[in-house]
């Protein structure tokens, strides 16, 4: 959709409303997927559409459509919802020009990705021909344009390339699924590293062992931190949860509620999801939310910031063509001073958590987590002795004592930058 079409949509809506915001989205991806050693699918997925917010008679209306030939109907739908919409508590972005476009990258062709996938499968089978290998390679493109009646214009554009390598090793009734993945800004992923990670994990998991239930040291790898803990912190630190009195942190700014080794920031200048402005044209900012265990503040979109009587922190983001909601660009946990290998070496008897099943039974707004292990290992006298099965780990981010954090940090999925975390003691339960 060109600038003239966006302006035409604005011109249609502007005479009928006190405020107008036009949000245009275009995404495209070309996933190449192998499943059980075979090429499964070659597809192109594309989304293009517009979301329109209006303020009419002091109320907020919203409509979205992927049919860009019927813009007048889109405007009428948005105006109609305003008659029953919530009171408009926000103002759309004022006059400004914002741009966030990285230099274009030449993404690999489908043919090149098919060849890469076949080569990765062949290398995995050199390691173990019994593994049914899955490979997913997805180049993608995303573009956002925003206009407001007050004169704000914004343009965001990104490319990406994601790679996932893994497989299923079937041994009788035992199904061992292990995978590794990386997301880049369009540059080639480190395929060799991903392969080595998967092979090493299969080697550690070749022997099955068990643990006795009860409190014991538990080491969360960066992937486990991202999968289990990052979402807890996002829920606890959301401005929406503060206004709704759903987070126990609401009136605890300035108090130390977490382990002193824990520092959590959002840095919108880092990673593939880096943003200069959010989906409401508010400039983003680096913010420290937890500093050495002390709660420093919360993150806000326009709506919840207005209800709290404060300013947006540039955290209003959309899922597709939905309304904006408060979200973090990324979660960055500060590193420790101990090499990861030393964290493992100092465990006399404990477990490592790497992959978990689903979202577990976490009570996010209470800071509690309870997860079943999909992939975890037992450590005895500083050595990994095998994989543990039928095991659950539970704890609380408020109460679990941290023994140490690794000095190395890792990006997980492009949105979480974290060290590994060694907890001195968490609850562990098993079943035979």
């Amino acid at each position: 959709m060109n600038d003239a079409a966006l302006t035409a949509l604005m011109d249609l809506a502007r005479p009928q409303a006190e405020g107008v915001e036009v949000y245009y989205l275009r995404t495209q991806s070309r996933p190449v997927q192998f499943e059980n050693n075979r090429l499964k699918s070659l597809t192109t997925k594309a989304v293009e559409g517009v979301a329109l917010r209006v303020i009419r008679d002091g109320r907020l209306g919203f409509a979205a459509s992927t049919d860009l030939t019927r813009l007048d109907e889109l405007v009428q739908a948005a105006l109609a919802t305003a008659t029953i919409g919530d009171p408009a508590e926000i103002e759309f972005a004022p006059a400004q020009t914002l741009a966030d476009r990285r230099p274009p990258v030449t993404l690999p062709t489908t043919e090149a990705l098919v060849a890469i996938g076949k080569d990765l499968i062949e290398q995995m089978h050199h390691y173990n021909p019994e593994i049914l290998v899955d490979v997913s390679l997805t180049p993608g493109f995303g573009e956002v344009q925003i206009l407001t009646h007050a004169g704000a214009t914004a343009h965001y554009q990104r490319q990406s390339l994601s790679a996932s390598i893994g497989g299923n090793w079937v041994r009788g009734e035992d199904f061992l699924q292990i995978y590794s993945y990386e997301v880049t800004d369009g540059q080639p992923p480190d395929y060799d590293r991903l392969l080595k990670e998967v092979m090493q994990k299969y080697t550690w998991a070749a022997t099955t062992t068990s643990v006795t239930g009860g409190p014991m040291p538990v080491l969360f790898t960066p992937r486990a931190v991202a999968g289990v803990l990052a979402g807890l912190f996002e829920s606890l630190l959301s401005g929406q949860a503060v206004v709704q009195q759903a987070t126990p942190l609401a009136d605890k700014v300035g108090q130390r509620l977490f382990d002193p080794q824990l520092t959590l920031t959002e840095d919108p200048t880092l990673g593939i999801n880096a943003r200069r402005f959010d989906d409401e044209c508010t400039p983003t900012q680096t913010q420290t939310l937890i500093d050495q265990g002390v709660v420093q503040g919360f993150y806000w979109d326009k709506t919840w910031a207005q209800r709290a009587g404060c300013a947006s922190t540039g955290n209003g983001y959309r899922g597709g063509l939905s309304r904006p909601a408060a979200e973090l660009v990324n979660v960055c946990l500060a590193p420790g001073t101990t090499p990861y290998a030393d964290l493992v070496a100092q465990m006399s008897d404990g477990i490592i958590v790497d992959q978990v099943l689903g979202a577990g039974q976490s009570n996010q707004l209470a800071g509690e987590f309870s997860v079943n292990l999909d992939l975890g290992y037992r450590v005895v006298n500083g050595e990994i002795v095998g994989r543990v099965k039928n095991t659950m780990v539970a704890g609380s981010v408020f109460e679990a004592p941290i023994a140490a954090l690794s000095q190395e940090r890792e990006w997980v999925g492009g949105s979480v930058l974290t060290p590994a975390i060694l907890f001195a003691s968490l609850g562990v339960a098993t079943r035979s």
Side-chain angles (χ1 to χ4, degrees), residues 230-242 246-247 299 364-365:
L232 290 180
F233 288 118
E234 288 193 69
S235 296
L236 290 167
L237 295 164
S238 166
Q240 177 177 345
V242 172
T247 171
Y299 64 93
Q364 293 193 335
L365 292 173

Side-chain angles (χ1 to χ4, degrees), residues 89-359:
E89 302 171 291
I90 64 171
E91 294 181 357
F92 298 137
Q96 58 189 309
T97 300
L98 302 169
D100 191 355
R101 288 169 284 181
R102 293 181 180 176
V105 176
T106 301
L107 296 171
T109 64
T110 296
E111 292 75 14
L113 293 174
V114 169
I116 291 171
K118 291 179 178 179
D119 180 64
L120 292 171
I121 292 172
E122 183 178 352
Q123 292 187 63
M124 280 288 290
H125 283 164
H126 280 311
Y127 165 74
N128 184 340
E130 296 182 3
I131 296 175
L132 300 173
V133 184
D134 298 335
V135 176
S136 179
L137 306 169
T138 305
F141 169 85
E143 179 182 23
V144 166
Q145 289 180 267
I146 308 171
L147 298 179
T148 71
H149 71 282
T153 62
H155 190 189
Y156 166 88
Q157 191 170 297
R158 283 290 189 274
Q159 292 169 288
S160 64
L161 179 57
S162 65
S164 174
I165 304 170
N168 192 1
W169 188 11
V170 182
R171 297 176 294 177
E173 296 182 355
D174 184 24
F175 298 85
L176 178 55
Q177 292 183 310
I178 294 176
Y179 63 94
S180 191
Y181 63 95
E182 182 181 358
V183 185
T184 75
D185 60 359
Q187 303 297 328
D190 190 342
Y191 298 114
D192 288 341
R193 179 183 62 80
L194 296 176
L195 275 172
K196 289 177 181 177
E197 284 182 0
V198 173
M199 292 174 186
Q200 178 64 80
K201 291 176 182 181
Y202 270 117
T203 299
W204 284 331
T207 300
T208 301
T209 185
S210 61
V211 295
T212 302
M216 65 172 54
V218 177
L219 176 60
F220 276 42
T221 67
R223 181 189 297 181
V225 174
V228 178
L229 303 180
L232 290 180
F233 288 118
E234 288 193 69
S235 296
L236 290 167
L237 295 164
S238 166
Q240 177 177 345
V242 172
V243 175
Q244 295 175 333
Q245 292 293 304
T247 171
L249 308 187
D251 57 352
K252 299 295 193 298
V253 172
Q255 297 184 29
R256 175 169 281 121
L257 299 184
F258 303 96
D259 190 287
Q261 298 179 73
L262 187 67
T263 294
L264 184 150
T265 63
E266 179 197 39
D267 190 340
T269 68
L270 298 178
I272 64 164
N273 293 332
R275 292 287 298 260
R276 295 179 182 175
F277 55 88
D278 69 4
D279 289 339
E280 298 181 292
C281 288
T282 305
T284 55
Q285 56 186 285
T286 299
Q287 49 187 331
T288 299
L289 301 169
I290 301 171
D291 185 17
Q292 297 181 21
V294 178
V295 179
Q296 299 296 309
F298 307 95
Y299 64 93
W300 304 90
D301 65 348
K302 279 180 176 288
T303 297
W304 294 102
Q306 176 66 25
R307 293 177 183 178
C310 61
S312 170
T313 53
N315 290 99
Y317 292 100
R318 304 175 188 244
L321 294 171
S322 66
R323 295 174 174 85
E327 295 180 8
L328 288 171
V329 172
N330 53 39
V331 173
C332 301
L333 289 171
T337 59
T338 307
Y340 179 83
D342 290 353
L343 294 182
V344 178
Q346 72 185 53
M347 299 173 70
S348 59
D349 188 8
I351 63 174
I352 297 174
V353 178
D354 188 36
Q355 297 172 194
V356 299
L357 291 170

